[in-house]
Amino acid sequence: MKKGKRISGLLFLLCMLQFASAQVVVAQDTLRLSHGEFLAIVKQYHPLAFKYRLENQIAKAEVQQARGYFDPVLSAKDGKKTIDGVDYYQESNVGLEIPTWYGVSLSGSYNNIEGQRLNNSDTRGGLYQFGVTVPLAKGLLFDQQRALLQQARAALQMTAAEQQLLTNALFRDAETTYWDWVRYYEIYRLQTQAVDINVKRLDMIKRTFDYGERAAIDTTEALAQLRSYELEQEDAYLQFLKATAELSLFLWKDQYQPFDLRQPIVPTDELVASEAFKSYPLLITKLNTTNLNAHLSLVYYQQKGSFLETERRLKWQSFLPKLDFTYNFFNKEGYQSEYFPLFHNNYQYGLKLEIPVFLRQARAGYQMAKAKIGQNQMDLTLKEQELQVKISNYSNEVQNYNAQINLAGRNLENYQRLLQGEEARYGNGESSLFLINSRQNKLIEAQEKVIELRFKFLKGYAELKYLAESF
């Protein structure tokens, strides 16, 4: 009888050692993916990362397009009219118009016209023209061309901020998805270990039953426990497959082709090995000492404010009368030039005045522009408050989860000692298989709890990390 007890105790000791060292066997053709490799793939190949970069290129092109309103325009014309052998006219013209930043437009041209039926206003022969157009009221201090360029520049800054925020959100989601995948892999590995342990335990119970040490009902209970763990293992494997499918959404190759995961793939990193557990205090300190106004989400609304202020200035110009002065100096080819006095000879001038009577369009446009600025200021204030709350919440979350992990880790050690003690008592015939199963269930629950807490910590850390990346 004593010999049987010693054999039973030895088998339980081997079972305990197996539980401490059991690992999931990974096939040789299984791919391994580390955290760093995964993020590098997302940054280099994910279509959204390309899309966001293209948005920035579009915004730069719009700035270039707005600059085009100030490009000089070169023009040329050549024409002739003949009816019934009569040359009405033959005209050649070349001109250059130069718009300037201050609303003044410069022009120069050469025109040569000959013919038998010219208009009285036409000057026969070659004629040089140099002119200037000056807005004296509306358009003098600000006009649509200047507004479009300033708005394009503000829009470029808005786009850069927005696309960087979207890129950071993509990387944050990718990182969270990776750690979620690791979480389910570790749970699956944990359940697989439990199945392996219970297979060995059932074998041990059968052998002790053969020695006459245990009742037949113990083998039934051990088998029922094994089937229960096998069900948990299958469910854990299903969750791992789903997490792998979610992970595959971030895996792409050249030419925007999705990565085909035909081979099994498992993570290289473990949750507990993440550098986040060491670096989170420094990250929190950095976020608390950084100027909040430098965050890209606030920069976006700041630049949008500049965009809307430009629109308001342009709308204000509509209250002014349109009063344009044009002066052209002429010099006939082959004649001596006489520049001064300007209004003595060889000149043309014009003065054009337009005044809307009721200014309803101007008033409405200006009111809408001011309302948009007010809305944007509210959005900026709301976003600033939202950002402060996010930093505070995620900082508290990370610190609290880290404290919970430490508590759960110490509690896990207690459950391990309880299981070992119960197995030792069972080996001495002082306990039951039911109590061992109960202790093991509690241990696995504690292990899963630690895994869940580590994942929640890393998820909160990812939020903080990419909040910091957006400064």
Side-chain angles (χ1 to χ4, degrees):
M1 189 71 177
K2 291 182 178 178
K3 181 180 178 182
K5 287 185 176 181
R6 286 197 299 269
I7 293 174
S8 178
L10 179 60
L11 290 172
F12 266 103
L13 177 62
L14 291 173
C15 185
M16 289 161 53
L17 293 174
Q18 288 288 340
F19 185 80
S21 61
Q23 298 290 335
V24 177
V25 177
V26 178
Q28 292 183 353
D29 62 341
T30 299
L31 299 175
R32 293 183 176 273
L33 183 63
S34 71
H35 175 251
E37 292 168 342
F38 173 69
L39 288 183
I41 291 172
V42 175
K43 291 178 181 179
Q44 186 170 358
Y45 296 110
H46 200 282
L48 285 180
F50 281 103
K51 177 185 175 182
Y52 299 150
R53 288 194 285 269
L54 289 176
E55 290 290 342
N56 288 328
Q57 293 180 16
I58 292 172
K60 290 179 181 178
E62 288 176 347
V63 173
Q64 185 178 15
Q65 184 182 39
R67 288 196 181 106
Y69 292 115
F70 299 94
D71 288 346
V73 178
L74 183 64
S75 60
K77 182 176 70 172
D78 185 75
K80 181 178 181 179
K81 180 179 179 180
T82 301
I83 299 178
D84 293 334
V86 177
D87 292 332
Y88 276 65
Y89 70 87
Q90 182 175 0
E91 182 180 16
S92 299
N93 177 277
V94 61
L96 177 66
E97 184 175 358
I98 306 174
T100 68
W101 175 258
Y102 299 101
V104 177
S105 178
L106 305 176
S107 63
S109 67
Y110 172 77
N111 186 71
N112 188 292
I113 186 170
E114 298 288 350
Q116 301 178 22
R117 300 289 179 87
L118 300 181
N119 294 327
N120 293 332
S121 60
D122 293 330
T123 303
R124 190 181 299 275
L127 183 68
Y128 295 96
Q129 173 265 330
F130 301 96
V132 59
T133 299
V134 181
L136 300 179
K138 181 180 179 180
L140 177 62
L141 300 178
F142 204 59
D143 59 12
Q144 187 173 9
Q145 287 74 19
R146 280 175 277 183
L148 289 173
L149 180 55
Q150 289 186 7
Q151 287 183 325
R153 287 171 176 169
L156 174 60
Q157 299 300 319
M158 290 169 59
T159 301
E162 182 182 32
Q163 301 313 312
Q164 187 60 54
L165 286 171
L166 291 172
T167 301
N168 289 343
L170 171 66
F171 296 157
R172 178 204 62 204
D173 293 343
E175 187 160 333
T176 301
T177 301
Y178 180 85
W179 292 125
D180 192 41
W181 179 55
V182 175
R183 169 180 63 156
Y184 284 114
Y185 177 69
E186 292 188 358
I187 292 175
Y188 167 64
R189 187 171 61 180
L190 180 65
Q191 294 296 338
T192 301
Q193 291 172 359
V195 169
D196 292 341
I197 295 304
N198 279 269
V199 167
K200 294 179 176 66
R201 179 175 291 153
L202 177 62
D203 182 64
M204 182 273 299
I205 295 295
K206 287 180 178 179
R207 279 193 268 173
T208 55
F209 170 72
D210 292 338
Y211 294 145
E213 294 291 324
R214 300 296 172 194
I217 194 64
D218 282 353
T219 60
T220 302
E221 185 171 352
L223 180 60
Q225 183 75 352
L226 174 61
R227 294 294 177 259
S228 176
Y229 281 123
E230 286 175 340
L231 285 173
E232 294 293 333
Q233 181 192 30
E234 288 299 321
D235 183 68
Y237 183 64
L238 176 61
Q239 299 303 321
F240 174 63
L241 290 180
K242 289 182 178 179
T244 303
E246 292 292 327
L247 186 82
S248 68
L249 296 176
F250 293 91
L251 295 175
W252 295 77
K253 302 183 294 185
D254 288 327
Q255 306 300 320
Y256 318 120
Q257 295 299 314
F259 194 87
D260 188 7
L261 290 177
R262 300 196 177 190
Q263 292 177 270
I265 182 170
V266 296
T268 302
D269 298 80
E270 296 181 344
L271 295 175
V272 69
S274 172
E275 288 294 324
F277 292 101
K278 298 178 181 178
S279 61
Y280 81 90
L282 184 62
L283 178 61
I284 292 175
T285 301
K286 177 183 176 183
L287 282 168
N288 290 331
T289 56
T290 303
N291 181 15
L292 205 62
N293 288 325
H295 195 269
L296 291 177
S297 61
L298 300 184
V299 170
Y300 173 85
Y301 286 105
Q302 291 163 4
Q303 293 300 323
K304 185 178 179 180
S306 299
F307 183 96
L308 295 174
E309 176 61 20
T310 300
E311 183 178 355
R312 185 200 65 79
R313 291 179 60 195
L314 181 62
K315 295 298 183 182
W316 187 84
Q317 290 290 312
S318 299
F319 288 105
L320 301 177
K322 182 176 177 60
L323 181 61
D324 295 340
F325 172 74
T326 301
Y327 178 86
N328 291 304
F329 169 78
F330 299 107
N331 185 45
K332 201 167 165 48
E333 190 175 23
Y335 286 77
Q336 185 177 0
S337 302
E338 295 182 6
Y339 300 104
F340 299 101
L342 294 178
F343 294 93
H344 177 67
N345 194 17
N346 299 329
Y347 73 94
Q348 177 193 39
Y349 85 92
L351 197 62
K352 183 179 180 181
L353 175 65
E354 294 180 4
I355 303 178
V357 177
F358 298 111
L359 295 175
R360 285 181 291 196
Q361 187 175 13
R363 291 199 305 270
Y366 190 72
Q367 289 173 359
M368 286 190 292
K370 289 183 65 177
K372 290 178 182 178
I373 291 175
Q375 287 178 330
N376 183 71
Q377 186 60 44
M378 295 176 192
D379 291 338
L380 177 61
T381 303
L382 181 63
K383 179 59 70 172
E384 184 176 1
Q385 183 65 20
E386 179 184 318
L387 194 58
Q388 289 176 339
V389 171
K390 277 187 177 182
I391 293 175
S392 177
N393 283 346
Y394 288 125
S395 298
N396 293 334
E397 186 176 292
V398 165
Q399 291 171 325
N400 186 268
Y401 282 136
N402 187 66
Q404 289 187 52
I405 289 169
N406 293 332
L407 288 173
R410 290 195 293 270
N411 201 32
L412 180 61
E413 295 174 359
N414 294 331
Y415 282 119
Q416 288 173 335
R417 284 194 291 268
L418 287 172
L419 176 61
Q420 292 169 359
E422 206 65 52
E423 287 177 332
R425 291 181 61 204
Y426 183 78
N428 294 326
E430 300 173 357
S431 183
S432 66
L433 188 59
F434 173 79
L435 290 176
I436 289 179
N437 291 338
S438 177
R439 298 293 189 192
Q440 187 173 7
N441 288 339
K442 288 292 185 180
L443 176 60
I444 291 176
E445 288 177 7
Q447 290 172 322
E448 289 186 347
K449 179 65 175 179
V450 171
I451 292 173
E452 292 291 334
L453 288 173
R454 287 171 179 163
F455 167 70
K456 290 178 179 179
F457 171 90
L458 291 173
K459 183 179 179 181
Y461 179 84
E463 296 283 353
L464 284 179
K465 176 183 176 182
Y466 288 102
L467 277 174
E469 291 287 334
S470 298
F471 280 99

